[in-house]
Structures are given as structure tokens and as C-alpha cells.
């Protein structure tokens, strides 16, 4: 169940923390977000350290599909409707700038970086595509309508973004992480103002950045209300006629396609963690019907944190948490969002202006329909009288037969059948 990235890259190793440490900035969590923060802070000459509970990129990042694009579904029509043209344009600019940062960095890194066009297709709705095209026109962005993208089934059309990219995320991380100040196998157990207690010593730092995927502090920022987790599944196929470009269904339950050498990565089967969904079975059925000669060479699954309004939370952690910052809620677009987070947080820490700070501020309004859904799901989870229960907030866990795990529908914690914690926000194993 290892991703092709894990199978084909060697990540550098780092020592565990073995004594107390003082640094100006501490970063907690070594996935794409934390590592890019560390990289940008180091480039800016800031004194920093990063602690990672396990190995770097052992979380969601190792199981991504690694498309680097500002095309995050049909998001721009929605952003204009909910935030106005100015903010929608900022979102586009921030993510296009992140793509350009990757382009520059990857020019000197052997990480299979390839320029590709990105497409979002709809199976049924030409109207949705037209709305997105006119939203993009209002933002002054040159997208295109494509009537018959080269997919093995009929679609109503697709919106195309030119010159986006894909890469090998772990080869990229190998190169940028090797000279960073990182402590692996160093888990933060307690977090207080200017101080993090780990299993290897206490780190004192004026500023602390939390990039633990789901933020680890419950009592500030309301992230347990503002986030939920959504799972997706991936198959790597040989002998599937390869697609030139990166494709995604506008429907949350639809499919995703990209090439990787002679492999085709087929993604989908998605569902809220702890709820039923298509999983690998749905992908296998699709592959059998549309690529009868294809063979599955690898399969994996992962989940990402989803926000109330489709925009990540990047900035100060909460109202009363001076010096504490967070980057989370990448809505399955964590490649460009991590780069945006690193730029915004580096500027915040250095006291520099950044045009995107207000757009991504975690303090923005929570009054969105998804808030009620999250609240209701948590209430149902807490009231459901089954065992076992999640140590995070006491919700009833659901058995995930595809992956043999116990999953929490409320906030997305997951546990192996022996009770070992797989995914946060829970910090503890299941009690026997
Ligand atoms: C199936 C799938 C496909 C995707 N495809 C794409 C794509 O094509 N393009 C795109 O842009 N995005 C994609 N994404 C999203 C992207 O992969 C994620 O947003 C991104 O990898 C998240 O990175 P992260 O650093 O926030 O989290 P993670 O990679 O999970 O890193 C968090 C780290 O924090 C560590 N940690 C946790 N708690 C502690 C603690 N107490 N102390 C110390 N360390 C701790 C963990 O061990 C982990 O290593 C996809 C997501 C999924 C699920």
C-alpha cells in the first residue's frame, strides 16, 4: 500500500532531539507545509528548527498525487460569489505565484518536474463550466474551453489552465530538506506560549508554526469545528492509455487522472473520513471497464483537511495565541497551498507585508453552511452509542473495511485494528 513516491525516493534521515533547545522559530510537523516553511525561513536567514514526530513526509504528503496547479476544481466562480472579485483574484495570484516558485526551484532539482496543462471536466454540466470560464475572464486569466478532452468517456467539456505542472514530491523534498535543521522522531506532546515539550526535550522559541496537518491544539482557534477530513484513493496503472495533462472531475465524488512515466495515476472513490465511499473498488471497476488491459502496480489512500469555505487557514493560530501560527485546510491542494503558506508565514514572522495575509487569515468568518454540517456530524458521533470511541473528542468510530482501520467521521482520526493511531487529530492510541 506504499505510494509510488515512497517506493522510488530515498529521503534524508535526521537525528532525534536529545536535549533542550532554543531557536527563534520552531516548526512542528515535517510534511510539505512544514518543510517549505523551514526552507523559506532558512533562505531568509532566520534561526529555526523543525521537529517531526516520525520521518519527514510520513503523513499525507507521501500519498499525494502531486499536481502543482492554481486550478483547484471549479473554484473561481464560487470564490467570486462568496468573497468578491478582488479576493478571488488574490487567490489565483497566490497560487500562480506558488507554481512559479516551484518552476524556479525545480529547474535545479531532479524531481521529474513536467509542465502540463490542467483540466477540470464536468460529465453533465456545461453550465458550470461556462460559469467558471466567465469567472476566470473577470479575473483576467486566460483559460480555455475544451469540448472533447482525451478521456475514455463522454464529458460535457472541460476548463483548461495552460502550463501548470506535476512532479515527484519526495524527490523534490529530498533535495530541499537535506541541509535543513530537522529533528525526526521528535513528537510535540505539549504546546504552551513560546515552548513545546517533546519526547526528546523542551524547545523554547519566540514563534511557533504548527504544520501538523490537523492542528494539534484543540482549545484555540476552533479548528475542530472549522475542519473535517476527506479521503481519496489512488491506483497506479500500467497499460492504460496515458493522458497528456492533469484531469479532475468537478464533482467531489469524481475521478482524477495524471501520468507518471509509463504509469497512469487514477484517483477517486472519495468520501468524508468515517463515512461510506467508493474506495479502490470503484477505481478498479472503472479501470476494468475503460482500460481492460491495465494492471494495478500500486495503490494507496490518504486524506486532507477541508475548510468551511474552500480557502486554507494560514496565519495566526487563534485570538489569544501570540507568536503561534498555523497552516492547514489545504482542501486537497496542498502543493501550491504549502508554498503559499511558507511565503505568508515567513513574511508574518519577519514583519513584512504580504498581499495574501488577510485572504488566508484563520480568523475570518465561520458562518458557512459547512459549519452546521460539521457540528451535526460531531453531535451524531458523540451521541452514537457504539464502541470503540475516538480519544480526541469521544465520537463513535466506524470500521473501514477497505483499509482495515477504525475511522472517526467527526474529525478524521484513524486507528489500526490493534488501536495504533494512524492519522491525527487524536494524539493517543485507542484504549483497549
Ligand atoms: C489522495 C490525495 C491526493 C492529493 N493530490 C494533490 C495534488 O495533486 N495536488 C495538490 O496540490 N495537493 C494534493 N493533495 C493534498 C496534499 O497532498 C496535502 O494537502 C499536503 O500533502 C498536506 O501536507 P501537510 O504538510 O499539511 O501535512 P502532512 O504531510 O500530513 O504533514 C504533517 C506532519 O506533521 C507531523 N506531526 C503531526 N503531529 C505532530 C506532533 N505532535 N509533533 C511533531 N510532528 C507532528 C506528521 O507526522 C506529519 O509528518 C492530495 C491529497 C490527497 C489526500
Amino acid at each position: 500500500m506504499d505510494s509510488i513516491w515512497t517506493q522510488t525516493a530515498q529521503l534524508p534521515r535526521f537525528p532525534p532531539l536529545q536535549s533542550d533547545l532554543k531557536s527563534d522559530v520552531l516548526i512542528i510537523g515535517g510534511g510539505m507545509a512544514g518543510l517549505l516553511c523551514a526552507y523559506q525561513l532558512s533562505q531568509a536567514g532566520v534561526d529555526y528548527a523543525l521537529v517531526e514526530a516520525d520521518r519527514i513526509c510520513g503523513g499525507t504528503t507521501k500519498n499525494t498525487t502531486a499536481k502543482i496547479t492554481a486550478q483547484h476544481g471549479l473554484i473561481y466562480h464560487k470564490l467570486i460569489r462568496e468573497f468578491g472579485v478582488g479576493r478571488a483574484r488574490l487567490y489565483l495570484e497566490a497560487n500562480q505565484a506558488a507554481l512559479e516558485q516551484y518552476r524556479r526551484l525545480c529547474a535545479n532539482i531532479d524531481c521529474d518536474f513536467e509542465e502540463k496543462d490542467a483540466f477540470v471536466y464536468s460529465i453533465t454540466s456545461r453550465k458550470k463550466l461556462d460559469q467558471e470560464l466567465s469567472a476566470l475572464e473577470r479575473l483576467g486569466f486566460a483559460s480555455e474551453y475544451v469540448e472533447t478532452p482525451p478521456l475514455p468517456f463522454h464529458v460535457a467539456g472541460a476548463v483548461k489552465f495552460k502550463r501548470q505542472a506535476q512532479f515527484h514530491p519526495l524527490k523534490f523534498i529530498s533535495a530541499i530538506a537535506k541541509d535543513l535543521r530537522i529533528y525526526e522522531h521528535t513528537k510535540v506532546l505539549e504546546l504552551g506560549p513560546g515552548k513545546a515539550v517533546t519526547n526528546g526535550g523542551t524547545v523554547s522559541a519566540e514563534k511557533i508554526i504548527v504544520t501538523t496537518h490537523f492542528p494539534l491544539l484543540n482549545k484555540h482557534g476552533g479548528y475542530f469545528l472549522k475542519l473535517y477530513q476527506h479521503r481519496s484513493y489512488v491506483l497506479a496503472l500500467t497499460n492504460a492509455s496515458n493522458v497528456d495533462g492533469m484531469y479532475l472531475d468537478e464533482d467531489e465524488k469524481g475521478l482524477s487522472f495524471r501520468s507518471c512515466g509509463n504509469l497512469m495515476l487514477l484517483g477517486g472513490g472519495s468520501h468524508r473520513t468515517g463515512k461510506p465511499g467508493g474506495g479502490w473498488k470503484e477505481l478498479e471497476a472503472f479501470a476494468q471497464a475503460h482500460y481492460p488491459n491495465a494492471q494495478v502496480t500500486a495503490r494507496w489512500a490518504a486524506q486532507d483537511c477541508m475548510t468551511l469555505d474552500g480557502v486554507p487557514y494560514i496565519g495566526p493560530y487563534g485570538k489569544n495565541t501570540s507568536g503561534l501560527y498555523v497552516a492547514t485546510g489545504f482542501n486537497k491542494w496542498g502543493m501550491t497551498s504549502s508554498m503559499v503558506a511558507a511565503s505568508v508565514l515567513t513574511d508574518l514572522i519577519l514583519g513584512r507585508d504580504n498581499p495574501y495575509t488577510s485572504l488566508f487569515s484563520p480568523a475570518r468568518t465561520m458562518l458557512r453552511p459547512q459549519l452546521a454540517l460539521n457540528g451535526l456530524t460531531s453531535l451524531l458521533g458523540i451521541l452514537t452509542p457504539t464502541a470503540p470511541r475516538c480519544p480526541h473528542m469521544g465520537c463513535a468510530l466506524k470500521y473501514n473495511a477497505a483499509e482495515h482501520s477504525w475511522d472517526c467521521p467527526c474529525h478524521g482520526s484513524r486507528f489500526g485494528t490493534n488501536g495504533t493511531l494512524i492519522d491525527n487529530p487524536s494524539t493517543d492510541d485507542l484504549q483497549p
Side-chain angles (χ1 to χ4, degrees):
M1 297 246 255
D2 280 348
S3 70
I4 50 164
W5 319 123
T6 311
Q7 291 172 26
T8 54
Q10 283 281 333
L11 287 167
R13 289 181 179 273
F14 300 91
L17 187 67
Q18 286 180 318
S19 58
D20 292 352
L21 178 78
K22 197 171 174 336
S23 85
D24 289 348
V25 181
L26 170 68
I27 301 154
I28 307 172
M32 187 59 86
L35 290 164
L36 284 176
C37 286
Y39 181 77
Q40 290 207 19
L41 287 168
S42 80
Q43 295 290 303
V46 175
D47 173 45
Y48 72 91
L50 182 150
V51 291
E52 161 55 47
D54 191 354
R55 297 285 323 280
I56 57 165
C57 291
T60 302
T61 300
K62 71 173 184 305
N63 289 333
T64 184
T65 46
K67 300 172 183 168
I68 308 172
T69 174
Q71 192 189 40
H72 297 175
L74 298 182
I75 195 178
Y76 292 100
H77 171 68
K78 186 173 158 234
L79 287 178
I80 290 180
R81 200 182 58 213
E82 289 177 16
F83 291 89
V85 171
R87 292 200 152 216
R89 187 173 290 126
L90 283 175
Y91 187 92
L92 178 63
E93 267 174 32
N95 284 285
Q96 278 287 116
L99 165 66
E100 294 312 319
Q101 280 171 289
Y102 276 110
R103 211 188 300 276
R104 277 196 299 277
L105 272 174
C106 293
N108 301 312
I109 297 176
D110 179 11
C111 61
D112 308 338
F113 182 91
E114 291 176 276
E115 205 167 80
K116 293 278 175 192
D117 296 336
F119 301 80
V120 172
Y121 63 86
S122 174
I123 292 188
T124 52
S125 175
R126 172 73 198 257
K127 186 175 164 208
K128 285 187 186 170
L129 300 173
D130 286 341
Q131 283 173 335
E132 187 71 356
L133 287 161
S134 50
L136 288 160
E137 202 178 319
R138 286 180 76 188
L139 301 180
F141 184 78
S143 61
E144 282 173 30
Y145 172 69
V146 177
E147 192 157 354
T148 49
L151 291 167
F153 49 90
H154 178 76
V155 298
V159 176
K160 170 173 158 185
F161 276 32
K162 278 197 202 149
R163 296 193 64 230
Q164 307 291 298
Q166 62 187 29
F167 71 158
H168 187 312
L170 300 192
K171 286 187 183 173
F172 169 76
I173 287 294
S174 269
I176 67 151
K178 64 182 190 317
D179 297 323
L180 298 177
R181 190 185 189 194
I182 294 172
Y183 297 93
E184 287 185 321
H185 302 291
T186 302
K187 182 173 182 175
V188 170
L189 307 172
E190 261 178 62
L191 186 57
K195 193 173 87 163
V197 179
T198 78
N199 53 341
T202 296
V203 186
S204 312
E206 262 173 49
K207 312 249 159 115
I208 299 179
I209 299 177
V210 176
T211 46
T212 52
H213 198 230
F214 205 110
L216 85 171
L217 267 189
N218 256 341
K219 64 180 176 206
H220 296 285
Y223 294 97
F224 65 94
L225 283 171
K226 294 202 290 204
L227 289 172
Y228 68 100
Q229 300 206 56
H230 209 256
R231 240 177 134 64
S232 292
Y233 299 75
V234 185
L235 296 180
L237 301 171
T238 51
N239 296 328
S241 59
N242 235 329
V243 285
D244 186 22
M246 307 178 295
Y247 295 83
L248 180 70
D249 194 330
E250 54 84 17
D251 188 323
E252 187 182 72
K253 289 194 177 293
L255 298 172
S256 141
F257 304 79
R258 69 157 273 195
S259 62
C260 176
N262 65 344
L263 297 176
M264 217 256 293
L265 307 188
L266 175 66
S270 309
H271 57 88
R272 184 173 174 140
T273 303
K275 299 275 182 189
W280 289 303
K281 267 195 184 154
E282 183 184 311
L283 296 178
E284 280 160 358
F286 177 87
Q288 220 160 39
H290 296 277
Y291 306 112
N293 297 324
Q295 276 165 351
V296 177
T297 62
R299 70 181 61 215
W300 65 92
Q303 60 195 29
D304 210 10
C305 295
M306 315 297 282
T307 60
L308 299 175
D309 55 15
V311 175
Y313 302 127
I314 302 167
Y317 196 102
K319 270 198 191 122
N320 304 310
T321 53
S322 167
L324 189 63
Y325 301 88
V326 71
T328 186
F330 297 152
N331 303 297
K332 299 194 188 160
W333 295 111
M335 299 300 107
T336 54
S337 301
S338 291
M339 189 65 91
V340 172
S343 303
V344 168
L345 294 178
T346 299
D347 284 348
L348 275 174
I349 279 168
L350 290 173
R352 298 193 298 220
D353 285 341
N354 184 295
Y356 312 119
T357 310
S358 149
L359 170 67
F360 293 103
S361 167
R364 64 185 184 269
T365 182
M366 287 169 64
L367 296 178
R368 304 277 176 193
Q370 185 65 42
L371 180 68
L373 271 176
N374 288 356
L376 193 65
T377 309
S378 294
L379 189 67
L380 278 175
I382 288 165
L383 295 178
T384 302
T386 54
R389 309 196 80 82
C390 181
H392 177 232
M393 294 186 83
C395 293
L397 298 173
K398 300 280 179 200
Y399 189 64
N400 172 344
E403 298 181 78
H404 308 293
S405 59
W406 287 96
D407 300 358
C408 179
C410 300
H411 306 103
S413 299
R414 299 180 58 245
F415 306 86
T417 42
N418 60 359
T420 313
L421 178 67
I422 303 174
D423 282 305
N424 66 1
S426 175
T427 51
D428 301 313
D429 294 342
L430 282 184
Q431 294 307 311

